[in-house]
Amino acid sequence: MNPGFKFFLAVIVSLEISLTTSLPTNLIIIGVAVVYLLFNHVKIKNLLLTLLLPLVATTTIFATLYWFTPEPNLQNALCLASRIYVYTLTIYCVFIGTTTTEFARCFEQNFHLPSKFAYGILAALNLVPQMKQAIKKVQTAAMMRGVYLSFWSPTLYFKAILIALNSAENLAQAMESHGYVEDEPRTTIVAIPIKISDWIYSGIILLFVNLALLTFN
């Protein structure tokens, strides 16, 4: 499915779940999302970690609505708590098997995202590993002088800002040297079209979600 369609589909489903209280629908979406992730050969370790991380937030919501309220409602507490897993798993389904480059290209080609934002996001993400390596070099150089720069050290952040500014200038020059001109039409190396199947699958999924909300609400 088109990456943009998957993203907007997850947003629409999340909004509908937020506006209703249907525990069976939440459980159905969670179950379908888990099956989809397993079908896409996600690692069991990553899936278990995804299910474990929201547990604190889920437990907090459940405890607040059930244990610390004058009139506890078990179904309402479970419904609101299960929404956390709906949001987490649907977003995981959106990004599974799709790279950041594909998302940027999709939004630029299909949803008219300005190219400067698309390329800017990709450039920032691709610079992250280089920034980490540069910060390690700064810390190593400081340790050789007998100075320890901790994670919260202002000096380290100041040097990191200088490195980022220098990297941004080099990146801008590199893009200009490769022929990038802002607000000018550009050809596409890899086209990401919107297919009829994207509309069909999205419509079917929304239809089943709304039928479940009407049935179990």
Side-chain angles (χ1 to χ4, degrees), residues 1 5 11-12 14 21-22 28 42-43 58 76 94 99 114 119 127 141-142 144 153 156 191 201 203-204 209 214 217:
M1 184 183 289
F5 268 62
V11 171
I12 293 173
S14 299
T21 54
S22 177
I28 291 173
V42 66
K43 294 181 179 179
T58 304
N76 187 43
V94 170
T99 63
Y119 287 101
L127 281 175
M144 294 177 65
S153 174
L156 181 62
Y201 291 147
I204 292 174
V209 169
L214 292 174
N217 196 0

Side-chain angles (χ1 to χ4, degrees), residues 1-12 94 98 102-108 110-111 192-194 198 202:
M1 184 183 289
N2 185 282
F5 268 62
K6 289 199 297 183
F7 175 78
F8 287 114
L9 183 62
V11 171
I12 293 173
V94 170
T98 305
E102 291 174 339
F103 266 105
R105 287 173 175 168
C106 172
F107 278 89
E108 180 192 7
N110 304 141
F111 302 101
I192 304 179
I194 297 178
D198 296 327
S202 300

Side-chain angles (χ1 to χ4, degrees), residues 177-190:
S177 65
H178 281 77
Y180 177 81
V181 180
E182 187 176 344
D183 298 328
E184 290 293 330
R186 299 180 58 84
T187 57
T188 57
I189 300 176
V190 179

Side-chain angles (χ1 to χ4, degrees), residues 11-156:
V11 171
I12 293 173
V13 170
S14 299
L15 286 175
E16 290 187 342
I17 293 299
S18 301
L19 298 175
T20 58
T21 54
S22 177
L23 178 60
T25 304
N26 292 357
L27 297 178
I28 291 173
I29 295 175
I30 293 172
V32 172
V34 171
V35 172
Y36 177 81
L37 292 173
L38 293 175
F39 182 77
N40 282 273
H41 307 289
V42 66
K43 294 181 179 179
I44 301 298
K45 178 182 178 181
N46 294 338
L47 180 58
L48 293 177
L49 184 62
T50 304
L51 296 174
L52 183 63
L53 288 178
L55 189 60
V56 175
T58 304
T59 305
T60 302
I61 294 175
F62 178 81
T64 303
L65 297 175
Y66 186 69
W67 292 332
F68 303 105
T69 55
E71 299 179 359
N73 188 321
L74 179 60
Q75 184 174 357
N76 187 43
L78 290 173
C79 179
L80 295 180
S82 62
R83 287 179 182 174
I84 302 297
Y85 280 103
V86 173
Y87 303 149
T88 304
L89 292 173
T90 51
I91 292 299
Y92 195 3
C93 290
V94 170
F95 287 97
I96 188 72
T98 305
T99 63
T100 308
T101 303
E102 291 174 339
F103 266 105
R105 287 173 175 168
C106 172
F107 278 89
E108 180 192 7
Q109 298 174 23
N110 304 141
F111 302 101
H112 306 291
L113 178 71
S115 60
K116 59 183 177 182
F117 289 108
Y119 287 101
I121 293 171
L122 291 177
L125 292 176
N126 290 326
L127 281 175
V128 169
Q130 299 180 19
M131 288 295 300
K132 290 182 178 180
Q133 190 65 26
I135 290 175
K136 288 182 180 179
K137 290 181 180 179
V138 171
Q139 289 178 318
T140 303
M143 291 178 66
M144 294 177 65
R145 299 194 304 269
V147 178
Y148 176 71
L149 298 178
S150 61
F151 178 76
W152 50 84
S153 174
T155 305
L156 181 62

